[in-house]
């Protein structure tokens, strides 16, 4: 769909916001609405003028709430504004605010002419939004209601306190007269109907959100999972992140032929895909076009995180987007791995020291674990997670021990019969594995992560594994090039920034940890439509990975997130 006037939705959204705010101000502070024709205003019945002010307040709040939907080209937002603006014009005429009438009619005419620019479908939401609606509008009702009750101090009888005024607001939202009395009947009616209108708006919108059909934001259906597993069975060796498309909190779009698919999740208006498209490369363009069409239908910002170079070229060619390298994936070729040599001395010493401390390792397929052992490992991994939120999206499966994942690989470390650490790998085609989860007991000796990775690499040939994908190192190339002889001032400055950020995000330590195993570095990219969308895409990616969460616990919300690491792994050793 060609966007001939991309500026129209933004202008319409700002116009709706401005008109709505003006309505709210005029309703809360009626003195601003006096004009030279105010004497004619008194000829109208008091109940009419009171209802008019209350209606203007409701319309103003609605226009403010709808403004964001207009900017995102939502067709329902356009329909709502087209209905609300004539109502607002009538209220402006009753108030004798002719400027308001003219503005509303001009904006209405412009929206009708540009109606083709508003085509996006509404976003699916769950019923949790009803609770959010009550909390947000309830707080707004209390604030505006208090201003309405206190807006005419000369008309208030006596000196009611804050508690009495708040009680009046709460009762007024339910249509009941409160303890505050007014000397003017006109002001009393205005306050009463304004509070009733606010309460009605909150009740109606909450009821609508509560009763409408529930549609989860992202769910992988059984049929989708079956089709994805079939594609992975035939083409799973192409991408080490392919198996993570089977997360059940993702959605998926397929090419018309069904030979390729793109898994995604919508976060904060960003349609966020991860890894390469799944399936036959010849069908990738059709799957990408289907993905882009779905993004346009909902006016979502399309983006891809963690795709490989070949997929990045396909995305930029078919979708007209740009690509930016964000890091490298560490891939170890099992046939070339050895603990011999000077370069592996530190790892060799660490593994030997761990073995002398009494640790042993077992590497098995998930299907070979007994039910009791599987449950014991799952509980221990949850206990060692280190945060209340399960992190991961692009490089985490989000489950352990599911019967549908028998080919996953589990490496466990034990000491004196007790479980001390666990690694979980997902299949990467028939001959590879990709690290999903890495956790250990915080009280255990350091070096367990290295110990388990080495033991897994040494056991891999007997399990038919030839490639092992480890952690993803953000900005690895900048760190590596910035420390070389002859690096320019810009590269050195960028490396210094990354080292500074590593005090909180452990960017450098993650790179150093991966480098110990002498991997092949495979670049990974983020694909985006415009440079101005990058901050929004970055925030949505952090939300998807659960590094940004919205909690009521302020101290936890203020803590800086850990580095981007698969499965919310424990902190890496320094």
């Amino acid at each position: 769909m060609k966007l001939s006037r991309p500026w129209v939705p933004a202008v319409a959204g700002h116009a709706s916001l401005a008109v709505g705010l003006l309505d709210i101000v005029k309703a809360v502070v009626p003195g601003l609405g006096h004009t030279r024709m105010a004497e004619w205003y008194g000829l109208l019945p008091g109940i009419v003028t009171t209802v008019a002010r209350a209606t203007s307040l409701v319309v103003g709040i609605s226009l403010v709430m709808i403004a964001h939907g207009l900017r995102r080209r939502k067709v329902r937002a356009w329909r709502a504004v087209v209905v609300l603006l004539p109502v607002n014009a009538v209220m402006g005429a009753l108030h004798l605010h002719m400027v308001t009438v003219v503005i509303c009619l001009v904006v209405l005419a412009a929206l009708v002419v540009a109606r083709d620019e508003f085509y996006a479908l509404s976003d699916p939401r769950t019923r949790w939004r009803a609770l959010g609606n009550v909390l947000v509008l309830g707080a707004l009702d209390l604030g505006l209601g208090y201003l309405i009750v206190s807006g005419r101090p000369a008309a208030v009888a006596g000196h009611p306190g804050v508690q009495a005024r708040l009680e009046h607001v709460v009762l007024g939202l339910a249509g009941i007269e409160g303890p505050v009395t007014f000397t003017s009947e006109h002001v009393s009616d205005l306050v009463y109907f304004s509070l009733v209108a606010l309460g009605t708006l909150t009740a109606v919108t909450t009821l609508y959100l509560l009763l409408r059909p529930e549609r989860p934001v992202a769910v992988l259906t059984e049929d989708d999972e079956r089709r994805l597993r079939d594609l992975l069975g035939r083409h799973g060796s192409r991408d080490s992140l392919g198996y993570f498309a089977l997360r059940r909190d993702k959605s998926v779009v397929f090419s018309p032929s069904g030979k390729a698919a793109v898994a995604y999740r919508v976060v904060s208006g960003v349609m966020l895909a991860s890894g390469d498209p799944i399936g036959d490369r010849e069908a990738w363009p059709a799957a990408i076009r289907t993905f882009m069409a779905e993004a346009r239908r909902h006016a979502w910002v399309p983006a891809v995180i963690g795709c490989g170079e070949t997929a990045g070229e396909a995305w930029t060619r078919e979708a007209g987007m740009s690509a930016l390298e964000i890091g490298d994936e560490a891939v170890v070729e099992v046939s070339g791995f050895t603990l011999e040599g000077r370069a592996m001395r530190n790892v060799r010493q660490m593994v030997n020291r761990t073995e002398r401390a009494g640790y042993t390792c077992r590497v098995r397929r998930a299907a070979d674990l007994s039910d009791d052992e599987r449950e014991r490992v799952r509980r221990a991994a949850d206990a060692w997670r280190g945060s209340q939120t399960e992190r991961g999206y692009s490089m985490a499966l989000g489950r352990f021990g599911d019967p549908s994942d028998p080919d996953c690989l589990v490496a466990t470390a034990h000491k004196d019969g007790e479980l001390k650490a666990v690694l979980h790998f997902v299949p990467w085609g028939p001959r590879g594995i990709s690290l999903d989860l890495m956790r250990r007991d915080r009280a255990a000796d350091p070096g367990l992560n290295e110990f388990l990775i080495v033991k897994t690499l040494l056991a891999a040939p007997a399990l038919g594994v030839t490639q092992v994908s480890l952690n993803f190192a953000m900005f690895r190339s900048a760190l590596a090039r910035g420390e070389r002889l002859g690096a320019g001032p810009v590269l050195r400055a960028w490396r210094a920034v990354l080292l500074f950020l590593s005090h909180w995000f452990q960017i450098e330590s993650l790179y150093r940890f991966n480098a110990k195993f002498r991997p092949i570095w495979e670049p990974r990219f983020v694909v985006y439509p415009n440079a101005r969308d990058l901050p929004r895409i970055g925030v949505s990616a952090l939300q998807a990975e659960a590094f940004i969460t919205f909690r009521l616990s302020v101290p936890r919300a203020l803590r800086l997130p850990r580095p981007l690491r698969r499965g919310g792994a424990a902190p890496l050793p320094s």
Side-chain angles (χ1 to χ4, degrees):
M1 185 178 297
K2 184 178 180 179
L3 305 181
S4 56
R5 293 169 291 183
W7 52 269
V8 169
V11 173
H14 287 102
S16 176
L17 179 64
V19 173
L21 291 175
L22 182 61
D23 287 341
I24 293 173
V25 171
K26 289 189 301 182
V28 173
V29 190
L32 295 178
H34 287 171
T35 66
R36 293 182 179 180
M37 301 178 67
E39 61 271 16
W40 297 101
Y41 193 68
L43 299 178
L44 295 172
I47 188 67
V48 174
T49 58
T50 299
V51 172
R53 288 192 183 279
T55 303
S56 293
L57 180 62
V58 174
V59 171
I61 294 174
S62 300
L63 288 174
V64 170
M65 295 173 63
I66 292 170
H68 180 66
L70 279 179
R71 289 196 294 271
R72 295 183 59 198
R73 301 178 180 272
K74 299 297 183 181
V75 65
R76 286 188 180 179
W78 179 86
R79 292 171 182 167
V81 172
V82 167
V83 172
L84 289 173
L85 285 177
V87 174
N88 204 39
V90 172
M91 296 302 104
L94 290 176
H95 289 177
L96 301 179
H97 296 155
M98 303 314 297
V99 174
T100 300
V101 175
V102 172
I103 292 175
C104 289
L105 294 179
V106 170
V107 174
L108 176 63
L111 287 174
V112 172
V113 171
R115 59 186 178 274
D116 292 341
E117 298 290 334
F118 302 90
Y119 53 81
L121 303 179
S122 297
D123 295 344
R125 291 290 187 267
T126 66
R127 291 189 177 92
W128 282 107
R129 190 147 187 216
L131 177 60
N133 187 77
V134 170
L135 296 176
V136 173
L137 284 188
L140 184 62
D141 290 348
L142 287 177
L144 287 176
Y146 189 87
L147 291 176
I148 292 171
V149 172
S150 307
R152 293 288 185 88
V156 177
H159 302 282
V162 174
Q163 183 176 351
R165 293 172 191 262
L166 288 176
E167 182 180 352
H168 190 91
V169 171
V170 173
L171 293 174
L173 294 174
I176 304 172
E177 287 286 356
V180 178
T181 57
F182 300 89
T183 58
S184 168
E185 184 177 351
H186 174 73
V187 173
S188 179
D189 289 340
L190 173 62
V191 171
Y192 176 81
F193 284 103
S194 296
L195 294 177
V196 169
L198 288 174
T200 302
L201 176 66
T202 301
V204 169
T205 54
T206 302
L207 189 64
Y208 165 72
L209 293 172
L210 187 64
L211 296 180
R212 69 177 178 172
E214 183 177 1
R215 295 178 60 191
V217 174
V219 172
L220 192 68
T221 67
E222 291 184 5
D223 182 63
D224 289 340
E225 183 172 344
R226 178 188 58 77
R227 296 174 67 185
L228 281 177
R229 287 186 182 277
D230 181 60
L231 291 177
L232 288 170
R234 287 179 283 152
H235 308 281
S237 59
R238 296 188 184 278
D239 183 20
S240 63
L241 306 185
Y243 201 85
F244 298 124
L246 296 175
R247 283 184 65 104
R248 288 166 185 157
D249 56 358
K250 288 184 178 181
S251 298
V252 63
V253 292
F254 290 88
S255 64
S257 65
K259 294 181 179 180
V262 177
Y264 70 93
R265 186 194 297 172
V266 178
V267 183
S268 298
V270 177
M271 190 176 182
L272 195 64
S274 60
D276 296 354
I278 309 299
D280 189 347
R281 285 186 181 177
E282 293 185 358
W284 281 9
I288 291 173
R289 289 193 293 268
T290 303
F291 177 91
M292 296 300 294
E294 186 71 8
R296 286 192 293 269
R297 288 180 65 230
H298 294 273
W300 292 327
V301 176
V304 187
I305 58 172
C307 70
E309 188 169 2
T310 302
E313 292 174 352
W315 278 102
T316 55
R317 181 178 63 251
E318 297 296 330
M321 297 198 289
S322 301
L324 177 68
E325 184 176 342
I326 58 171
D328 294 86
E329 177 188 13
V331 177
V332 179
E333 294 287 346
V334 172
S335 60
F337 178 77
T338 178
L339 285 177
E340 302 300 324
R342 182 178 180 83
M344 298 298 293
R345 183 178 60 182
N346 290 336
V347 176
R348 183 171 61 251
Q349 292 175 346
M350 186 170 292
V351 170
N352 291 336
R353 183 169 62 247
T354 303
E355 288 183 323
R356 287 195 300 270
Y359 288 92
T360 59
C361 174
R362 299 183 67 189
V363 182
R364 293 154 290 171
R365 294 287 181 182
D368 297 330
L369 271 67
S370 66
D371 293 340
D372 291 342
E373 188 173 11
R374 187 180 299 112
E375 181 62 21
R376 187 163 59 252
V377 173
R378 187 192 63 78
R379 287 199 304 265
D382 289 342
W384 299 332
R385 186 163 59 210
S387 92
Q388 295 181 0
T389 303
E390 180 74 45
R391 287 177 176 159
Y393 166 68
S394 59
M395 303 176 189
L397 187 60
R399 61 181 182 265
F400 176 85
D402 193 283
S404 63
D405 305 313
D407 293 330
C408 290
L409 203 67
V410 181
T412 52
H414 307 264
K415 183 178 182 181
D416 299 328
E418 294 186 8
L419 182 66
K420 294 297 183 180
V422 59
L423 299 186
H424 186 248
F425 297 84
V426 300
W428 171 15
R431 307 288 291 176
I433 55 175
S434 185
L435 180 60
D436 166 44
L437 181 138
M438 180 170 63
R439 293 182 188 158
R440 67 179 180 88
D441 187 347
R442 304 301 178 88
D445 295 333
L448 276 183
N449 290 332
E450 291 89 336
F451 173 70
L452 283 179
I453 289 177
V454 167
K455 291 300 183 182
T456 300
L457 291 170
L458 295 178
L463 295 168
V465 173
T466 60
Q467 286 182 310
V468 178
S469 169
L470 299 177
N471 283 304
F472 172 78
M474 292 187 65
F475 308 115
R476 195 277 316 174
S477 59
L479 290 170
R481 293 198 302 265
E483 65 183 353
R484 292 175 183 169
L485 181 67
V490 175
L491 191 55
R492 289 187 179 275
W494 176 226
R495 181 176 180 272
V497 171
L498 294 176
L499 292 178
F500 175 75
L501 294 176
S502 294
H503 288 88
W504 296 278
F505 295 92
Q506 299 181 9
I507 297 173
E508 184 192 26
S509 61
L510 197 59
Y511 157 55
R512 299 294 182 193
F513 177 83
N514 290 331
K516 293 177 181 179
F517 306 100
R518 318 300 293 176
I520 298 171
W521 296 105
E522 298 289 346
R524 291 281 175 172
F525 300 83
V526 58
V527 181
Y528 59 95
N530 296 288
R532 64 175 180 270
D533 295 316
L534 279 174
R536 183 177 179 182
I537 293 170
V539 170
S540 69
L542 290 174
Q543 286 181 257
E545 300 284 355
F547 289 116
I548 296 179
T549 56
F550 298 99
R551 295 180 177 273
L552 296 178
S553 174
V554 175
R556 180 170 292 277
L558 292 177
R559 298 176 187 174
L560 288 171
R562 294 182 183 175
L564 181 60
R565 187 159 61 253
R566 297 184 189 177
L572 296 174
S574 58

